[in-house]
Amino acid sequence: MSLVFDSFLPRVQAHAHPSSLVATPTGCSTLTSPSYANLSFSLFILFGILVSYLPQHHRIISRRSSEGISPFFLLLGVTSGTGAFLNILILSKDVLACCKVIGGFNCFAAGLGVGQVGTQWVCFAVILLLFLIYFPRNTEDLALPVSNTSRRWKNPLSNAHPTPATALTVTFICLVHFLVHLIAAFYISSLHPSKLTVYANFLGVQATLLASVQYIPQIYTTWKLQHVGSLSIPMMCIQTPGSFVWAVSLAAREGTAWSSWITYVVTGLLQGFLLVLCISFEVRDRSSKGKGAVADVNGSSYGAADTGEATGSEHADDGDEGEDSPLLRK
């Protein structure tokens, strides 16, 4: 990542006035007096991004299973985040180039927009990592009836019941996508700097398109399974309104364009729909359990499968691995 920063900074300095070492360049003067209200708001959003992802990370780890999470939802989310991060990084290059003359605190305030998008991208990538680590080793889905075993996890391209190969392939594609765009950004900034903004807007549009369909595979998976699985409702409760607040924050920052914030408006709308779907399933399940109407599946209810207690105890005596054993061992 430092290569991209280094390729951006010299160009700004080359056009700066010789006195930039002792005086603040005209383009950087607006960054020397940051709004403390805006700074506080940006820090609040940054903190909110970190906190919002913790419930999802915790739920996968505590269940020791990533069952119910669509691999294609993760694929689209990570690649969309990559585009959004590189988009704002490139568009903010002039702002970041001022860091050498405006001081550390002003640089920190000016770079919070990049920090927010980068943090969101990393936190979502952690979900992908946990999805891979805690991917069920056994190909049976605990939440489905026995009568459905013949069609469980057979198709490697299945969205609701993916194979381990699908999880590994999705992770590989995300890594390659990031490296390709990072190399392309470095190449364009070195040889065709005048086209860098066009490339940034291309990344922003790409991120928006990917984000526009990101939640469709997850909505389909959740609807197909008819339960929440390893999805975190608290995470969505925080992120759905937070997406719109974040979009407003990015739109008000220096060095950003519509392509930097439109992604979060789209994702907020789709995530809101998924949240309503998950809450409706959770309310239905809790209501059924309260009336004693939940039938046992192989001697255990969904509630037991949700906590990972049912299957683990079944195999504890004979030493076999549970159906929810992670794909990758610790």
Side-chain angles (χ1 to χ4, degrees):
M1 188 64 67
S2 61
L3 293 175
V4 179
F5 277 113
D6 293 341
S7 66
F8 292 158
L9 298 182
R11 285 181 178 74
V12 178
Q13 294 170 346
H15 295 285
H17 193 273
S19 62
S20 60
L21 294 177
V22 295
T24 303
T26 304
C28 303
S29 59
T30 58
L31 303 175
T32 57
S33 301
S35 168
Y36 287 99
N38 189 35
L39 175 62
S40 300
F41 186 56
S42 298
L43 287 173
F44 172 76
I45 292 177
L46 180 61
F47 178 75
I49 293 170
L50 287 170
V51 171
S52 70
Y53 278 97
L54 293 181
Q56 181 62 76
H57 298 163
H58 176 265
R59 181 164 175 82
I60 297 176
I61 295 172
S62 63
R63 294 187 78 224
R64 297 187 61 80
S65 173
S66 56
E67 178 262 339
I69 298 180
S70 166
F72 300 108
F73 161 68
L74 297 177
L75 172 64
L76 294 170
V78 173
T79 52
S80 172
T82 297
F85 175 61
L86 292 178
N87 164 270
I88 196 170
L89 180 65
I90 293 172
L91 292 177
S92 301
K93 68 183 188 302
D94 293 334
V95 172
L96 297 175
C98 294
C99 286
K100 292 188 176 182
V101 295
I102 63 177
F105 175 76
N106 293 331
C107 177
F108 171 76
L112 274 178
V114 176
Q116 290 169 352
V117 179
T119 299
Q120 188 271 343
W121 174 57
V122 171
C123 287
F124 199 93
V126 170
I127 298 179
L128 175 61
L129 179 62
L130 293 175
F131 173 81
L132 181 63
I133 293 174
Y134 291 103
F135 193 90
R137 297 171 67 88
N138 192 296
T139 57
E140 277 194 11
D141 181 0
L142 302 177
L144 291 179
V146 180
S147 59
N148 291 334
T149 55
S150 61
R151 59 185 177 85
R152 291 179 197 158
W153 303 76
K154 301 298 183 183
N155 181 6
L157 297 180
S158 172
N159 180 50
H161 313 298
T163 64
T166 305
L168 293 171
T169 301
V170 164
T171 304
F172 177 75
I173 292 175
C174 290
L175 179 60
V176 170
H177 177 268
F178 169 68
L179 292 176
V180 167
H181 280 298
L182 183 64
I183 293 172
F186 176 73
Y187 172 80
I188 295 174
S189 66
S190 300
L191 302 181
H192 306 284
S194 62
K195 299 185 181 299
L196 200 56
T197 301
V198 175
Y199 182 66
N201 286 327
F202 163 75
L203 290 173
V205 172
Q206 179 190 90
T208 301
L209 293 177
L210 292 174
S212 298
V213 297
Q214 171 187 349
Y215 282 90
I216 294 178
Q218 186 58 61
I219 291 172
Y220 172 80
T221 298
T222 303
W223 176 262
K224 193 77 173 177
L225 297 179
Q226 291 288 299
H227 71 84
V228 177
S230 292
L231 283 177
S232 171
I233 290 179
M235 179 194 71
M236 290 185 284
C237 286
I238 298 173
Q239 289 187 354
T240 299
S243 295
F244 300 103
V245 175
W246 191 7
V248 172
S249 174
L250 288 177
R253 297 195 68 83
E254 292 281 344
T256 59
W258 64 270
S259 59
S260 297
W261 54 262
I262 191 64
T263 303
Y264 304 101
V265 174
V266 176
T267 56
L269 293 172
L270 292 174
Q271 192 175 46
F273 181 81
L274 178 62
L275 174 61
V276 172
L277 190 65
C278 288
I279 291 177
S280 65
F281 288 153
E282 190 72 7
V283 170
R284 180 203 63 190
D285 292 342
R286 289 180 181 273
S287 176
S288 298
K289 290 177 184 178
K291 296 176 181 178
V294 176
D296 260 10
V297 178
N298 288 337
S300 63
S301 66
Y302 164 67
D306 189 45
T307 57
E309 296 173 356
T311 342
S313 60
E314 292 174 3
H315 298 274
D317 295 333
D318 57 8
D320 292 340
E321 293 176 340
E323 292 180 340
D324 58 348
S325 300
L327 174 63
L328 300 182
R329 293 180 179 274
K330 290 188 175 180

